[in-house]
Amino acid sequence: MAEIRPLLVAFDSFRPRASHRLRLMRESPGAVGSGQGLAAPWELRLREDFFSQFGPAVLPVPESLEASRLYLALKLSTRYMDEGIREAAQELFSAPAFLASVSLSVLVYFAAWLAPEPLFSKAFAAALTVRLSLLVGLVELSHLAMACLRLYQEAEAATTPQQLEAASERFGKSLGGTLLRVLVVVASLGVPQVLPKVPEDGIWTLLSPLRHAPTGGPGLESITMAHVVADGTLLFTGVAAGTSATSFCGELTTCAVMDDVGGGPRLSTRYGKPHTRQNPPHNEAIEKELAGREAAGHTDLRKNRPQLNAEGKPLDDPALARGVRFRKPDVSSVRPDGVRHNTNYVSNPRDMQRELEAFEAMLRADTSAIHELYLLDGTLVRRYVPPGVSFPWMGR
């Protein structure tokens, strides 16, 4: 909690103290906030900051954010967040200026993700999109955007407190620690006056200036446009594109960027050659998982290579399913406790049967290893954990 205090102080200073005065309000029974009324001067300044940073709003902005359904739904949602983040979220969302910033981030930035192929043409928004995608992944960003859209739609449609509460509950339960942090980052970066007062360490390191300068390459703020195409590839243009893309991939382990002049997307190859150039998201999911395992102390990191046992020897499928002699897990590593961990991803649901057959073949070949099968969006399809093996491992 101590880490968020400076952020709260900064937002509190942005919103001047209101003097105590009597307010007469007329509200019909069961009514919920509609956003009617005039915005306070501090809110108008906050809007100007957001629009100057991110560009114009995609969704309608209410006359008063503090009186809007979205604002109230966001505040209520903290009740339903996981216990590990609930206290910090309630503390943050208790600050009116911060909560107004979160509301604007939904209306201005996350709403831009709702297009079939989102395009961020404002330089600041483009650089932020690239940085967040490198840090948490495009899938996570799109999930957060969809959760924000659903909350906005359900809040706008709510005509009773019960309906608004239900929308808040769905949103709160969908927001894990990572997505909450991304929401906080976007909300905070929309207000430049707040940034100098934010600490430079702890869990708020993402709030530092948007800059990443690999050796020999320029910073991320030189990016001028970010475009997420239908297959999930992130393309960006600007001074950085085509000159430091390799450095980005090498240091941050996950990216798919486009040169300024022609060519296709460059895929991450830190852990081995591209899985397939026709499916960049699949390759990036593999690279991201291997990076996480390396950070957790796993060894023998393997990308799309023949299945091995705990002794490091090749394994054949005894049943030779579909005539395949051995399998190639997308991700394979050995945990610090010596247990091998194999993972495959399904890109196309139409290939599910084939992937399930491969999963069973890998299990037949080695029942002493952990085997997992996921969709690219992180949904678990199948998992096998050997008897006596802890999962998840404490260090993972």
Side-chain angles (χ1 to χ4, degrees):
M1 294 297 294
E3 292 177 316
I4 69 174
R5 296 294 182 189
L7 187 62
L8 289 172
V9 171
F11 271 100
D12 191 52
S13 65
F14 188 88
R15 179 179 185 265
R17 297 283 183 183
S19 59
H20 295 289
R21 60 181 178 176
L22 179 65
R23 298 181 63 194
L24 297 178
M25 300 180 66
R26 180 182 301 171
E27 188 170 294
S28 59
V32 294
S34 61
Q36 297 300 317
L38 297 177
W42 66 265
E43 185 182 309
L44 294 176
R45 287 191 294 111
L46 185 140
R47 294 187 191 206
E48 291 176 2
D49 285 338
F50 254 88
F51 298 153
S52 65
Q53 295 281 85
F54 291 102
V58 177
L59 297 174
V61 179
E63 289 293 326
S64 170
L65 290 169
E66 281 192 290
S68 69
R69 293 181 175 91
L70 176 62
Y71 181 100
L72 181 56
L74 284 166
K75 188 170 186 177
L76 293 172
S77 69
T78 59
R79 303 177 183 178
Y80 306 100
M81 294 180 186
D82 291 340
E83 185 175 353
I85 63 173
R86 186 184 308 135
E87 184 179 2
Q90 288 176 336
E91 187 80 8
L92 283 166
F93 282 39
S94 66
F98 176 78
L99 195 52
S101 296
V102 176
S103 301
L104 282 172
S105 72
V106 173
L107 300 172
V108 178
Y109 177 73
F110 290 108
W113 282 85
L114 308 181
E117 292 192 352
L119 177 66
F120 303 89
S121 56
K122 191 81 171 179
F124 179 86
L128 175 61
T129 300
V130 172
R131 176 163 185 173
L132 290 178
S133 68
L134 292 173
L135 289 168
V136 302
L138 288 171
V139 173
E140 288 82 356
L141 277 176
S142 61
H143 283 175
L144 177 56
M146 290 306 299
C148 290
L149 171 64
R150 183 178 181 183
L151 177 66
Y152 169 80
Q153 292 174 330
E154 293 181 345
E156 286 297 298
T159 56
T160 66
Q162 292 77 17
Q163 292 175 340
L164 194 69
E165 187 87 30
S168 300
E169 180 177 0
R170 280 187 285 272
F171 180 76
K173 289 182 176 179
S174 70
L175 209 65
T178 299
L179 296 188
L180 173 63
R181 188 165 66 154
V182 171
L183 192 65
V184 171
V185 167
V186 177
S188 301
L189 290 177
V191 189
Q193 293 94 328
V194 173
L195 286 180
K197 304 171 186 178
V198 174
E200 297 181 354
D201 54 6
I203 63 174
W204 304 113
T205 51
L206 285 182
L207 294 174
S208 58
L210 288 181
R211 184 171 184 82
H212 179 81
T215 303
L220 273 179
E221 62 257 306
S222 58
I223 293 171
T224 58
M225 185 202 72
H227 182 202
V228 184
V229 296
D231 67 357
T233 302
L234 173 64
L235 311 178
F236 62 86
T237 59
V239 177
T243 59
S244 61
T246 302
S247 298
F248 286 145
C249 291
E251 295 189 13
L252 299 178
T253 75
T254 172
C255 67
V257 300
M258 183 69 78
D259 288 340
D260 277 336
V261 287
R266 292 187 179 180
L267 304 181
S268 304
T269 56
R270 178 176 178 181
Y271 297 96
K273 64 181 181 180
H275 180 269
T276 171
R277 293 193 175 277
Q278 285 68 45
N279 191 353
H282 196 132
N283 180 78
E284 304 312 310
I286 294 172
E287 290 275 330
K288 184 176 180 180
E289 177 63 22
L290 284 167
R293 294 191 187 185
E294 183 178 27
H298 289 221
T299 58
D300 196 20
L301 303 167
R302 298 169 62 83
K303 174 183 178 182
N304 192 34
R305 297 176 63 186
Q307 183 180 358
L308 301 178
N309 61 15
E311 287 73 39
K313 297 180 180 179
L315 290 170
D316 294 338
D317 178 9
L320 288 177
R322 294 189 182 226
V324 179
R325 183 176 179 183
F326 56 83
R327 301 289 171 172
K328 293 183 177 181
D330 287 337
V331 175
S332 182
S333 64
V334 176
R335 304 194 314 182
D337 61 357
V339 177
R340 182 164 290 279
H341 187 172
N342 299 317
T343 300
N344 273 342
Y345 294 96
V346 184
S347 295
N348 191 333
R350 290 178 294 182
D351 298 330
M352 183 64 71
Q353 186 57 43
R354 185 187 67 193
E355 295 293 343
L356 287 172
E357 290 178 1
F359 178 90
E360 295 298 332
M362 290 167 57
L363 177 56
R364 284 193 301 268
D366 186 7
T367 57
S368 64
I370 298 171
H371 302 283
E372 293 181 302
L373 181 64
Y374 286 93
L375 298 179
L376 277 186
D377 65 4
T379 302
L380 177 66
V381 177
R382 190 75 58 84
R383 175 185 289 144
Y384 168 81
V385 179
V389 173
S390 63
F391 190 90
W393 175 64
M394 291 180 59
R396 177 69 176 90

